[in-house]
Amino acid sequence: MQKTSTRKQPQRKPKPELKWQTGAYERHANFSYILPYQFLLLCRLMDIPPKEVVIDFMDNLACGSWNREGRDTAKEHLINYFIALGYGQEHYMEAEIRQIFKEMDAVGMLFPGEGNEKLVDRYAKWRDKHQTWWFKKWFRKTRRQLSKKEVV
C-alpha cells in the first residue's frame, strides 16, 4: 500500500482571460511592500486595517459593483486624484478618461442587487464579456500595439 501525501499543494493561479494579464498586469497578484510609516500610524489611529483601505481604494477607483452604497463622492474624488496625477494622459485626453470612468461605473450600476443567484451569475458572465470588448475599444482607440506575445 502506497502512502499518500498530506502536504498542502500550492494553489494554482487561474489562467489569465487575456494573454497580456501576466507580470505587472497579473490579476491574481500577491504584493509585498513596505507601508509608509505615517499611513500605518493613521490606519491604527482610525482602527482600520491597511489592507481594507487599499481594497476600498481599488474597488472605488474601478467603479466596482460590489459595495457601492454611499460611495459616489469618494469615487469622484478618486477619479479626480487619478487625473490630477496625470495617469493615462499620454494616451487619452482628460474628457476621454472621464468617459472611461463613466462607462465603468455604468456597468457597475447594473449589478442585480435584488436578483437571485442565477441572475447574478448571468450578470457576471455578461460583465466579463462586456469588459473585454470595452477594453479593446479603448485600447485600440489610441492605436497602441501589444507585442505578439501579449495579443488580446
Side-chain angles (χ1 to χ4, degrees):
M1 181 174 240
Q2 214 176 30
K3 290 184 181 180
T4 57
S5 176
T6 57
R7 287 188 302 176
K8 243 186 181 176
Q9 296 295 323
Q11 282 190 327
R12 292 184 189 164
K13 290 184 180 179
K15 186 177 177 183
E17 293 177 34
L18 303 171
K19 291 180 182 177
W20 56 264
Q21 291 177 321
T22 60
Y25 298 99
E26 191 169 346
R27 184 164 185 209
H28 298 274
N30 291 317
F31 294 103
S32 177
Y33 48 89
I34 298 171
L35 297 172
Y37 194 56
Q38 299 90 326
F39 176 70
L40 185 61
L41 293 174
L42 179 65
C43 289
R44 185 62 185 121
L45 283 173
M46 302 301 153
D47 202 24
I48 182 127
K51 183 178 179 179
E52 195 171 323
V53 174
V54 172
I55 289 170
D56 281 346
F57 176 89
M58 291 185 300
D59 191 53
N60 286 320
L61 187 61
C63 302
S65 56
W66 182 110
N67 203 10
R68 296 179 62 83
E69 198 68 31
R71 294 178 173 232
D72 291 334
T73 303
K75 277 193 290 192
E76 189 58 39
H77 286 303
L78 286 176
I79 291 167
N80 290 333
Y81 168 84
F82 189 89
I83 291 169
L85 288 176
Y87 294 138
Q89 292 179 19
E90 65 275 7
H91 299 293
Y92 304 100
M93 296 180 348
E94 181 181 335
E96 291 174 314
I97 293 171
R98 289 192 183 281
Q99 182 63 33
I100 287 169
F101 279 109
K102 282 180 186 173
E103 291 176 11
M104 286 173 30
D105 196 39
V107 171
M109 287 177 12
L110 293 174
F111 182 78
E114 302 287 323
N116 61 24
E117 189 176 327
K118 189 175 180 179
L119 184 60
V120 170
D121 288 343
R122 279 182 156 169
Y123 165 80
K125 285 179 185 176
W126 169 83
R127 179 201 58 209
D128 293 347
K129 285 182 181 181
H130 175 77
Q131 286 175 338
T132 300
W133 168 85
W134 170 86
F135 170 80
K136 289 177 183 179
K137 173 186 106 170
W138 282 102
F139 190 84
R140 291 175 180 153
K141 184 172 182 131
T142 61
R143 294 176 188 83
R144 288 187 286 181
Q145 296 291 319
L146 286 171
S147 68
K148 288 184 180 185
K149 178 181 161 188
E150 296 177 322
V151 173
V152 177

